[in-house]
Amino acid sequence: MAKTTTFDRQEVIDKATNLYWKKGFHATSMRNLQDAVDLRPGSIYSAFGNKDGLFKEALANYADMSLSLLQQCKDEHDSPLHALKAFMKLIIVESQNSAPNGICMLSKTISELTDENQDLIDVTKAHLVNISSALVRLIEEAQTLGEVDKNKNAEDLATHVQIQITGLRTFAKINKDKNKVSAMIDDIFTHYPF
């Protein structure tokens, strides 16, 4: 009778997410994965297909975590604009010491991969689009409540927010002054294009 390997799939994906987020796709070897998730290579291949398959699930996990944090901020704030600011502060300022890497895993993946990994690039872009859509919906809610000018293009504002998040996460990794970074986030919503 064949031995059935049992493991907590989500726990494995969480550990792989942290490893890939910390090291990046190319710097993560199968040996690194084996050590981090405490599975033999055969079990990883059997459960996820290959390193790429596990990476795709880690990307989805990371995107889901981001969307969950955004929803948490929406649940905690009556104002959509305050929820968006809180989300930015949470992922930029508050996570600097607890996240495996201060840089967004999706942005890091886009900058790391080449055309040889087009499938993974496409998956990553799709997750970025989903997050952007959630930001657009939040900005549209703010527009409905009069917090943001209705004449502004919500998609353009969401793109601006994503660009600011990427830049500020890098800046926060270099500059550890949480108050300064927090003030910079507040300033986003008092200047162009908001």
Side-chain angles (χ1 to χ4, degrees):
M1 180 180 239
K3 181 180 175 185
T4 304
T5 304
T6 59
F7 59 88
D8 182 330
R9 186 177 183 86
Q10 187 59 49
E11 183 181 331
V12 169
I13 293 169
D14 288 341
K15 288 177 180 179
T17 301
N18 287 340
L19 179 64
Y20 279 126
W21 188 5
K22 180 179 179 181
K23 294 178 66 86
F25 177 74
H26 289 301
T28 301
S29 68
M30 279 304 292
R31 180 65 187 185
N32 297 144
L33 282 170
Q34 179 183 341
D35 292 344
V37 303
D38 195 28
L39 289 177
R40 294 187 181 272
S43 296
I44 294 171
Y45 283 108
S46 175
F48 302 100
N50 56 20
K51 179 182 169 184
D52 290 20
L54 182 52
F55 187 64
K56 286 177 186 176
E57 293 207 34
L59 289 170
N61 188 49
Y62 177 85
D64 288 346
M65 289 188 308
S66 297
L67 292 170
S68 177
L69 288 174
L70 183 59
Q71 184 60 51
Q72 174 188 325
C73 291
K74 285 175 65 175
D75 293 344
E76 293 173 358
H77 297 274
D78 292 332
S79 159
L81 206 56
H82 290 159
L84 183 54
K85 287 180 193 179
F87 171 71
M88 291 180 71
K89 288 179 182 182
L90 187 62
I91 65 170
I92 296 168
V93 179
E94 300 307 321
S95 71
Q96 281 298 314
N97 296 328
S98 60
N101 192 312
I103 305 299
C104 168
M105 182 178 175
L106 300 174
S107 298
K108 182 176 183 176
T109 298
I110 289 292
S111 66
E112 173 192 11
L113 298 180
T114 63
D115 293 344
E116 295 172 357
N117 307 107
Q118 190 60 50
D119 183 44
L120 296 176
I121 291 171
D122 293 341
V123 168
T124 305
K125 285 181 180 179
H127 290 304
L128 285 167
V129 167
N130 288 339
I131 292 170
S132 179
S133 295
L135 295 175
V136 168
R137 288 189 297 274
L138 191 58
I139 291 168
E140 288 172 344
E141 288 177 34
Q143 288 175 313
T144 300
L145 295 175
E147 295 180 341
V148 175
D149 185 343
K150 289 182 181 179
N151 294 319
K152 301 282 185 174
N153 183 301
E155 290 180 10
D156 290 345
L157 293 176
T159 298
H160 180 74
V161 166
Q162 281 187 297
I163 291 167
Q164 296 305 309
I165 288 171
T166 301
L168 284 171
R169 283 184 106 163
T170 302
F171 180 79
K173 194 172 169 93
I174 298 165
N175 183 320
K176 302 295 183 186
D177 185 345
K178 289 185 175 188
N179 291 330
K180 181 174 186 170
V181 177
S182 185
M184 292 171 81
I185 292 169
D186 289 333
D187 284 347
I188 290 169
F189 300 95
T190 59
H191 294 93
Y192 176 85
F194 277 87

